[in-house]
Amino acid sequence: MAVIAVSTHAARKQLLTYSRDAVVKAWDITEHNCLQSVSCRFPTVLLGRIPQHGAFPMLLALPPQEALYIASNDCLARIKIGNGDNSWQQHGGKTTTDTTPLLGALYNPYFQQVIVGSCGGTITAYNIESGRRELILQNTHSGSDIVSFSASERKLVTVDRHGIAKVSRRANKSLCL
């Protein structure tokens, strides 16, 4: 769909776009890639229609509010920017979630999480809706490459650099090795 509003968040080096079909996207200005897409669940969108918008459908409110406001003819949405916890760290002037490079990521539709493996052997699960870190396991391997999930999506298969595979069972949003 066509982009109808654009805003720049200079402090985060991000470009925020909003399209006619009520999708907000955050873009990294330096890396030129999409960081996150959020579909606004306006009643018109849920009914399969495209919402009507005025001249200024998107407003970026900088700190202390740190939010993005989206308006259609029948709804107003507030999207909080940032995750509100301390899962992000500063390393060499860059905001990161881990101190070592990431090896792989895999989406789990059953738990609605993205599972990420790093060179340091850390496996982290992030909630796809909120972006919050829900689970972290350290020293699982000497570098974990996420391979796949079982058919039930409750078991995670990881392989380290030496070819050692581990199957982890998912129970109640926790991970058991």
Side-chain angles (χ1 to χ4, degrees):
M1 275 291 169
V3 172
I4 58 172
V6 176
S7 188
T8 304
H9 195 304
R12 291 183 177 268
K13 296 181 181 166
Q14 293 178 354
L15 181 74
L16 303 165
T17 61
Y18 178 67
S19 61
R20 280 193 71 219
D21 59 346
V23 175
V24 176
K25 291 190 178 196
W27 300 86
D28 185 315
I29 294 172
T30 57
E31 297 292 324
H32 305 286
N33 60 351
C34 181
L35 299 171
Q36 186 173 12
S37 294
V38 177
S39 181
C40 297
R41 296 182 177 157
F42 293 139
T44 52
V45 173
L46 296 175
L47 294 172
R49 298 189 311 252
I50 295 175
Q52 298 295 314
H53 298 93
F56 303 101
M58 184 171 75
L59 171 70
L60 175 62
L62 296 175
Q65 293 85 12
E66 198 82 37
L68 186 67
Y69 294 92
I70 307 293
S72 73
N73 62 342
D74 59 352
C75 276
L76 177 67
R78 178 180 181 264
I79 300 172
K80 186 174 179 339
I81 297 174
N83 54 6
D85 63 10
N86 295 324
S87 65
W88 301 93
Q89 305 164 6
Q90 287 290 331
H91 293 285
K94 294 183 178 179
T95 304
T96 63
T97 56
D98 203 333
T99 56
T100 60
L102 303 179
L103 289 174
L106 191 63
Y107 175 64
N108 184 320
Y110 183 81
F111 290 109
Q112 294 186 336
Q113 293 176 329
V114 173
I115 311 296
V116 179
S118 73
C119 285
T122 302
I123 296 175
T124 311
Y126 295 95
N127 181 292
I128 196 72
E129 291 286 328
S130 68
R132 289 192 189 279
R133 181 173 56 193
E134 293 185 341
L135 173 72
I136 185 165
L137 292 174
Q138 296 178 336
N139 303 319
T140 57
H141 279 299
S142 61
S144 297
D145 193 4
I146 308 281
V147 177
S148 73
F149 289 104
S150 66
S152 68
E153 297 174 344
R154 290 180 178 244
K155 293 179 184 174
L156 173 67
V157 179
T158 60
V159 178
D160 73 1
R161 293 180 211 152
H162 307 293
I164 299 171
K166 289 187 180 179
V167 178
S168 307
R169 194 179 96 247
R170 304 272 311 183
N172 299 328
K173 293 195 178 185
S174 65
L175 200 58
C176 307
L177 291 174

